[in-house]
Amino acid sequence: MKKVIFWSGTGNTEAMAEAICEALDDAELLEVGDATVDDVANADAIAFGCPSMGDEVLEESEMEPFIESIEDAVKGKPIILFGSYDWGNGEWMEDWEERMKGYGAELVAPGLIVNLEPSDEDLEACKELAKKLN
């Protein structure tokens, strides 16, 4: 089974997560507060979503601690990363990609970032990204 694990403050990243989950075969959508290390360890593939926060970082109260906790669980796992942002140049996604590679995860595509609310075209891009995990 595949997992789509996300954090969303305004609903933009949640909309992306839903589109990704819809395009995956045999997938479960989980808000990060409901996800466990076992969910990651037992998944065939994982999509992680989080918007850019503050100074282009992951959300710090739930997502950041979760990502820290799964360092060993993502080794060798196919993953994709996605999220929305309001301003900046996507540095948070580049940092996140490097971090996940450092954990030994297999990034199957570059992270997908969307400015503010995803358009229909952006949601289609989410579905295309998801197909790389099928």
Side-chain angles (χ1 to χ4, degrees), residues 5-131:
I5 299 171
F6 72 97
W7 185 92
S8 186
T10 62
N12 295 338
T13 299
E14 182 174 12
M16 295 174 74
E18 289 170 349
I20 287 168
C21 193
E22 181 182 308
L24 288 171
D25 299 330
D26 190 30
E28 180 182 17
L29 184 66
L30 292 168
E31 289 188 38
V32 72
D34 297 327
T36 67
V37 174
D38 283 344
D39 286 322
V40 174
N42 296 325
D44 299 321
I46 309 122
F48 292 108
C50 186
S52 172
M53 303 293 287
D55 190 23
E56 289 214 57
V57 295
L58 296 177
E59 188 277 329
E60 296 176 301
S61 66
E62 289 186 77
M63 195 66 171
E64 176 59 36
F66 184 75
I67 294 299
E68 283 180 17
S69 76
I70 61 164
E71 181 174 357
D72 293 330
V74 295
K75 278 186 178 51
K77 297 270 185 192
I79 67 164
I80 56 175
L81 303 175
F82 63 94
S84 59
Y85 68 101
D86 186 2
W87 61 273
N89 63 6
E91 184 180 334
W92 105 98
M93 184 58 71
E94 293 169 12
D95 292 346
W96 198 9
E97 288 173 338
E98 287 306 310
R99 183 176 182 187
M100 297 309 280
K101 287 177 191 174
Y103 286 178
E106 179 195 331
L107 283 168
V108 299
L112 176 64
I113 61 174
V114 170
N115 186 245
L116 299 172
E117 185 176 352
S119 66
D120 289 344
E121 187 176 287
D122 293 330
L123 294 175
E124 280 305 312
C126 290
K127 291 176 183 178
E128 286 303 310
L129 178 64
K131 289 177 184 175

